[in-house]
Amino acid sequence: MSLAKKNSRRGFTEVFLITSRILYESLHSFRAFPLRSVFVILAIAFGSSSLTIISTALDNTSVVVDELVADFGPDAMMIIGGDQIVTAVGGRGMTLTKEDVERISNNINSVEYVVPLQGTVGNDVVYKGKSARHPFVVGSLADFAKSWDWPLTEGRDLNDKDVENGAKVTVLGSKVKEALFENESPIGKQIRVGQSSFTVIGVLEERGAFSGQEHVDNRIIIPFSTLVSRFPVDRNHFQIIRVRFNDSEAISRYTEEIRSLLRYLHRLEDHEEDDFFLLSSDEILVFVGIFKGGLTLFLGMTAVCSMLVGGFVLANLFSLSVESRYVEIGIKKAVGARKSDITVQFLFEACLLTVVGGFIGGIIGIVVSFYISSLGVMQVGFSIYPFLLSLSVSFVIGIIFALKPARTAANLDVIAALRGN
Amino acid sequence: MAKEVIRLGGAELIIPQSTPKELIRLENIKRIFYQVASQDDDENVSAETKEKGLEILKGINMTINTGEFVALQGSSGSGKSTLLHILGLLDRPTVGSYFLEGEDVSKLSDDRLSIIRNQKLSFVFQSFYLIPYATALDNVLLPAQYNKKPLSAQKKRAEELLKQLGLGNRMHFKPSALSGGQQQRVAMARALLNDPEIIFADEPTGQLDSATSRDILNLFTEMNEMGRTIILVTHDSDTAASAKRIVLLQDGQIAGETLT
């Protein structure tokens, strides 16, 4: 063998063999340094579990947003009366009129439904001694369920005849139905709302969402004409106008058309703000996107900090570990280990610990997420991605934070290492 | 090539005799350790001060042939361990050239030196230097981690070596469960695993009692008789006497040589 001239680079087979042997030896480090292993695994597991919970929560947010948009209707928009300044009692100005409804219906192309909505809160709904407390009593024109893309589980929707006659009929939200009738069918039954009796003609499907602080399923729908005649509400104005279009592609264009029309109808000067608020699924996505972005940033920083703490624990313990293993490093170099072999050994040891920590943390995170889900705080569907993310980040943390101690070990002088200094 | 002539009856037999093959040649080897009073990077420290160094080896010239059993003997601070480290490619000379098998190895890369150490050289130290959390067998197999020879064959050889050295029933013991002599035998088995050409021993009996020391030195003699070159460092003249050639070091220089 020529000592000087032979290339000292290893071939693929040699690299594979030596690396696999070093990896195998690294497995022993679990038992050889149990305290170090436990501390690193725990530190990473805590960070990793929070990362898993956070990414699961953010995943859940996406699902909720999708459901929200689906419930709202991608082909629909809502016009809310009043400007954006909330009054002292939490209400908004009443600016939407019948004329607005008619002109939108007649002037805007592609409009399928225009359904105004007026409502009142504060009346208990009673049936045979059972009551639903303070549901939102909504006055609507015909086709409420269709315009809100809100299916009925039984019965029928309001029709034009109900509205023309001021019929004392109602469609129940699922929470009200549950409170009054449980498993019994309410169709045709008489319920009492305030001082008036109403016949139940339909039941809406459960949505499970909130509108402000109110549960959207805690409502009853009655004809608009009945509402204004039997409850003390503004007869000339609506709180909300629901508009549904034939297609969802040009929602932003329709939004601008409706804005222009309403500004014209409300005689707003150029310098004046809108006295209404337009809400479309696009706007919901933008709003939720901003909210989710903030949430991601905040929670992401929390998760990153947790992982960094784990990383610093790792770096600290590995630095101490290198110091206590000078002789081992020295003898390995004396028998032929290269700098790269020593580096790889320490990186393997670190990554094994962090990946085990990440795995345990991932499991803890998923269990905790499901527990939180069982409390009704959020919905969790099992997804492998938060788990894989947790493992990947743990691996990267292992590489980054063990690199310095590993390089220190690799660069030790053989003689100094053997002498333990 | 030298010839030996033997007369057998009336016939004259000429038997060629191989001349000893040169294995190691040192030319004017110096090793200077720079000791600066303050930090090396301090710009306020003069260049002259930085250059103040402790010259441990002061121009060593020597040759060692294949199959020799050489003892480097000297008192503490004579430079014998430093010389051994340079010979074992664990350290580099500050000045001079080191020829191993006729090639200058004093300026090879670290990786190249690692390969040579793994394939041709091995070490036995006074403090054994066994990995505490590994078994005797795993300690012997340590050099096997860093070459591409099949692990199964190396494991078989490690087991055979441990058996030959009387540790057949101790191979799965950790160093803490072995006596000093047994630990040194494990270190010797490790040194033999890759069938090295040269074995370097740095005070190998320094921590052993006299009976165990004799056993260990006998093992070195056996290894030498099997053709391996042994270079042993010791301060003890009795230990040095087990070698065939004693090189006396004094104050970083060769003060004399003796053939035993």
Side-chain angles (χ1 to χ4, degrees):
Chain A
M1 177 179 100
S2 168
L3 298 180
K5 290 174 186 171
K6 191 178 170 188
N7 186 357
S8 55
R9 289 185 67 178
R10 287 171 176 156
F12 176 77
T13 314
E14 202 174 355
V15 167
F16 177 77
L17 274 174
I18 292 171
T19 308
S20 58
R21 286 170 191 172
I22 293 172
L23 176 60
Y24 179 74
E25 198 211 343
S26 302
L27 293 172
H28 292 298
S29 67
F30 277 100
R31 277 186 302 164
F33 307 100
L35 210 57
R36 181 197 72 170
S37 302
V38 167
F39 282 143
V40 171
I41 287 172
L42 283 179
I44 295 295
F46 285 134
S48 165
S49 59
S50 58
L51 180 67
T52 308
I53 293 167
I54 286 166
S55 54
T56 304
L58 290 174
D59 239 22
N60 169 62
T61 313
S62 302
V63 173
V64 169
V65 169
D66 291 344
E67 284 176 359
L68 195 65
V69 170
D71 286 352
F72 183 83
D75 55 355
M77 67 178 301
M78 220 156 64
I79 307 162
I80 302 164
D83 58 24
Q84 294 186 44
I85 300 167
V86 178
T87 64
V89 291
R92 302 175 69 98
M94 300 290 276
T95 56
L96 302 175
T97 63
K98 275 184 182 172
E99 189 191 0
D100 294 341
V101 175
E102 286 164 10
R103 293 290 290 271
I104 289 169
S105 186
N106 297 332
N107 292 20
I108 306 291
N109 291 332
S110 304
V111 165
E112 193 175 1
Y113 298 101
V114 181
V115 180
L117 185 148
Q118 174 67 295
T120 180
V121 184
N123 297 284
D124 283 348
V125 178
V126 181
Y127 173 73
K128 285 186 178 176
K130 294 178 188 168
S131 67
R133 187 166 166 74
H134 294 175
F136 186 34
V137 181
V138 177
S140 170
L141 298 185
D143 298 322
F144 174 88
K146 271 187 189 168
S147 68
W148 286 86
D149 196 18
W150 196 337
L152 294 159
T153 55
E154 55 183 317
R156 66 168 178 86
D157 202 353
L158 295 180
N159 57 30
D160 289 332
K161 208 172 161 189
D162 298 328
V163 177
E164 279 167 25
N165 297 340
K168 288 159 68 178
V169 293
T170 181
V171 175
L172 302 183
S174 64
K175 271 191 112 55
V176 179
K177 184 259 171 184
E178 202 173 306
L180 300 183
F181 297 97
E182 294 176 357
N183 297 325
E184 191 185 343
S185 172
I187 305 300
K189 305 275 167 47
Q190 295 284 318
I191 61 168
R192 189 154 195 86
V193 184
Q195 302 302 313
S196 306
S197 288
F198 287 80
T199 304
V200 179
I201 58 168
V203 179
L204 292 166
E205 198 175 73
E206 183 183 351
R207 279 244 156 125
F210 285 82
S211 172
Q213 293 186 338
E214 294 296 324
H215 204 292
V216 296
D217 296 317
N218 189 28
R219 62 175 57 192
I220 64 170
I221 321 299
I222 62 174
F224 180 76
S225 48
T226 315
L227 178 82
V228 296
S229 64
R230 298 191 175 272
F231 295 93
V233 294
D234 187 335
R235 287 166 174 271
N236 301 315
H237 293 90
F238 302 108
Q239 288 172 325
I240 292 170
I241 301 172
R242 167 79 170 180
V243 185
R244 196 165 168 196
F245 302 95
N246 287 329
D247 73 296
S248 59
E249 298 301 314
I251 285 285
S252 55
R253 180 162 58 81
Y254 300 146
T255 306
E256 284 315 305
E257 285 177 9
I258 287 177
R259 186 191 304 281
S260 298
L261 177 65
L262 289 177
R263 286 185 67 83
Y264 168 74
L265 292 171
H266 296 187
R267 293 180 176 78
L268 296 173
E269 298 289 338
D270 286 350
H271 66 273
E272 289 181 288
E273 296 281 330
D274 293 345
D275 62 352
F276 52 87
F277 178 65
L278 300 176
L279 185 65
S280 66
S281 55
D282 285 355
E283 304 231 3
I284 291 177
L285 284 175
V286 169
F287 171 74
V288 173
I290 294 167
F291 174 73
K292 193 182 168 190
L295 196 68
T296 306
L297 188 69
F298 174 72
L299 294 179
M301 287 298 287
T302 309
V304 166
C305 286
S306 306
M307 293 303 285
L308 285 179
V309 169
F312 283 116
V313 170
L314 169 83
N316 210 350
L317 288 174
F318 265 70
S319 294
L320 291 172
S321 182
V322 167
E323 284 178 25
S324 66
R325 292 166 72 182
Y326 276 174
V327 170
E328 176 192 332
I329 296 161
I331 194 64
K332 282 182 173 174
K333 291 184 108 175
V335 300
R338 301 181 184 189
K339 283 182 182 179
S340 56
D341 297 329
I342 304 291
T343 307
V344 166
Q345 183 197 330
F346 277 89
L347 289 182
F348 270 152
E349 286 184 18
C351 289
L352 279 170
L353 295 178
T354 56
V355 168
V356 169
F359 184 81
I360 293 171
I363 299 281
I364 293 171
I366 287 170
V367 169
V368 171
S369 299
F370 274 102
Y371 177 69
I372 294 172
S373 174
S374 73
L375 298 177
V377 177
M378 65 177 189
Q379 290 176 327
V380 173
F382 179 76
S383 167
I384 195 71
Y385 296 111
F387 192 69
L388 291 179
L389 175 72
S390 167
L391 279 185
S392 312
V393 172
S394 302
F395 181 78
V396 172
I397 289 282
I399 295 277
I400 292 173
F401 284 88
L403 194 58
K404 179 74 174 71
R407 294 288 298 272
T408 304
N411 288 326
L412 281 174
D413 176 70
V414 190
I415 307 297
L418 285 172
R419 285 176 180 155
N421 55 37
Chain B
M1 184 176 285
K3 296 171 188 169
E4 187 179 358
V5 181
I6 299 174
R7 290 185 182 281
L8 193 65
E12 204 174 64
L13 290 177
I14 302 172
I15 300 171
Q17 255 192 344
S18 58
T19 49
K21 188 182 167 191
E22 180 187 284
L23 184 62
I24 288 171
R25 189 170 82 249
L26 301 182
E27 291 180 357
N28 190 32
I29 292 290
K30 291 183 182 177
R31 183 67 175 99
I32 302 165
F33 288 97
Y34 292 97
Q35 294 185 325
V36 179
S38 54
Q39 291 90 347
D40 286 346
D41 296 334
D42 192 340
E43 291 177 2
N44 297 322
V45 178
S46 68
E48 187 188 344
T49 310
K50 281 182 182 175
E51 283 176 13
K52 274 185 184 173
L54 192 61
E55 197 172 10
I56 301 294
L57 297 178
K58 300 171 179 171
I60 301 285
N61 293 293
M62 72 184 293
T63 304
I64 296 172
N65 295 326
T66 302
E68 276 200 279
F69 188 168
V70 181
L72 304 175
Q73 192 194 346
S75 57
S76 180
S78 61
K80 58 188 186 300
S81 288
T82 305
L83 181 58
L84 182 98
H85 294 153
I86 288 173
L87 289 169
L89 301 179
L90 299 174
D91 195 8
R92 294 172 190 272
T94 313
V95 176
S97 298
Y98 171 11
F99 293 90
L100 180 63
E101 293 183 344
E103 292 184 52
D104 189 354
V105 292
S106 46
K107 291 177 182 65
L108 293 183
S109 70
D110 285 349
D111 282 353
R112 191 76 207 126
L113 295 182
S114 295
I115 294 173
I116 298 171
R117 282 201 299 270
N118 185 256
Q119 296 180 359
K120 290 185 171 292
L121 316 179
S122 65
F123 304 88
V124 178
F125 296 98
Q126 180 179 2
S127 301
F128 323 134
Y129 293 146
L130 302 178
I131 296 177
Y133 62 82
T135 62
L137 182 61
D138 287 338
N139 268 290
V140 176
L141 277 169
L142 198 60
Q145 259 188 351
Y146 306 109
N147 62 48
K148 61 181 175 185
K149 292 178 198 165
L151 195 59
S152 54
Q154 298 194 81
K155 189 174 179 185
K156 197 175 168 190
R157 178 169 166 76
E159 288 169 347
E160 281 170 8
L161 284 168
L162 283 169
K163 282 177 192 165
Q164 283 171 19
L165 292 169
L167 294 169
N169 57 351
R170 294 278 193 279
M171 60 177 75
H172 298 295
F173 283 38
K174 289 188 177 165
S176 55
L178 301 173
S179 68
Q182 287 170 332
Q183 288 188 53
Q184 195 59 297
R185 282 166 189 270
V186 173
M188 292 183 78
R190 180 176 66 195
L192 289 168
L193 183 77
N194 281 348
D195 200 14
E197 290 182 22
I198 314 170
I199 296 173
F200 297 95
D202 189 357
E203 302 277 14
T205 57
Q207 291 193 12
L208 305 176
D209 60 56
S210 54
T212 313
S213 296
R214 269 198 303 280
D215 286 347
I216 295 294
L217 290 172
N218 288 339
L219 282 171
F220 279 115
T221 305
E222 282 177 32
M223 289 180 201
N224 178 241
E225 284 167 355
M226 288 189 289
R228 289 193 181 81
T229 307
I230 312 284
I231 300 174
L232 180 146
V233 158
T234 183
H235 67 280
D236 178 46
S237 41
D238 288 344
T239 304
S242 58
K244 292 175 185 167
R245 174 183 166 199
I246 300 170
V247 177
L248 194 63
L249 283 164
Q250 205 167 26
D251 195 22
Q253 290 175 311
I254 294 176
E257 281 197 31
T258 316
L259 294 176
T260 59

